[in-house]
Amino acid sequence: MNNFQEIADRVEIEALRGEFTDAAMMRDRPRLAALFTADAVLRMPNVPVEFIGREQILAGGERLQSQWDFFVQNSHPGVIRIDGDTATGRTYMQELARLRDGRSGQNFAIYHDTYRRTAEGWRFAERVYEVRYADATPLNGSAPGTEAQARAEAGTEAQARAEDFGAPASAERLGRTIAAPRADGV
């Protein structure tokens, strides 16, 4: 990196990638679609889906999003190679999700990106999503305010009632139990 323009381009491309993750997490599909060029392609061969242009990216994203109970995406910066008004790069992803049908899991993936400088700044011309690891083991946690959380809380309440049988009668009794000296003097 030997000039200010290249440094500025890298900062703007990194901001674009961060904006993508934020828009996905905030379920802001219009903002997400606006991060692409008008003729962009978003490919997810493992899903499998392909969206061409902002309108398809918006509509397809809304369809996918409607299936989520919750979705958490973490992005990690990868390489950026700039060549004038185009660039390529990679973004590494870790995601957790639960679908409304109860399926859940986590994955690690890579976005292989092509960027283009536009009048609005750098935009995605192409994103290809490659899953490198997928784990469909049911997630035990839940997101606040979701159907899964309500189910988890119902199970937690049942567990708590079952544990109450052997629980101390009060917080005061629990405090005395914790504070009582043990036979070994500790």
Side-chain angles (χ1 to χ4, degrees):
M1 246 188 292
N2 54 5
N3 67 52
F4 290 118
Q5 184 60 55
E6 185 174 348
I7 293 168
D9 290 341
R10 288 177 181 280
V11 169
E12 190 173 340
I13 290 169
E14 195 57 51
L16 174 70
R17 299 189 305 191
E19 190 80 17
F20 179 93
T21 296
D22 188 69
M25 290 287 297
M26 297 295 103
R27 298 180 181 220
D28 188 346
R29 290 306 188 192
R31 179 168 50 122
L32 190 137
L35 300 174
F36 288 83
T37 61
D39 61 344
V41 179
L42 175 57
R43 292 184 176 92
M44 297 182 215
N46 303 103
V47 173
V49 296
E50 179 176 285
F51 306 123
I52 300 172
R54 287 179 178 160
E55 292 302 316
Q56 283 189 12
I57 291 168
L58 175 63
E62 288 174 350
R63 257 192 329 275
L64 291 172
Q65 178 182 316
S66 71
Q67 298 174 29
W68 302 340
D69 187 23
F70 69 85
F71 175 75
V72 177
Q73 180 181 76
N74 292 295
S75 62
H76 308 278
V79 66
I80 297 171
R81 291 193 172 87
I82 299 170
D83 184 14
D85 289 339
T86 62
T88 58
R90 287 187 289 277
T91 305
Y92 302 97
M93 309 303 295
Q94 178 184 10
E95 299 167 321
L96 297 170
R98 178 173 291 117
L99 302 178
R100 294 192 189 281
D101 68 6
R103 291 180 294 149
S104 64
Q106 68 172 323
N107 69 347
F108 293 87
I110 301 171
Y111 273 113
H112 301 275
D113 296 328
T114 302
Y115 315 100
R116 187 180 315 141
R117 187 189 321 268
T118 70
E120 296 85 28
W122 285 96
R123 295 291 182 259
F124 296 106
E126 180 181 50
R127 285 204 109 182
V128 179
Y129 182 77
E130 175 193 3
V131 175
R132 288 289 182 101
Y133 172 81
D135 182 353
T137 304
L139 298 173
N140 291 322
S142 61
T146 63
E147 295 168 22
Q149 182 191 28
R151 288 192 304 272
E153 287 173 355
T156 302
E157 289 170 16
Q159 179 71 23
R161 284 192 298 275
E163 291 172 354
D164 278 348
F165 181 77
S170 68
E172 179 183 76
R173 182 173 168 199
L174 177 60
R176 285 195 314 264
T177 303
I178 291 170
R182 293 183 2 201
D184 61 5
V186 178

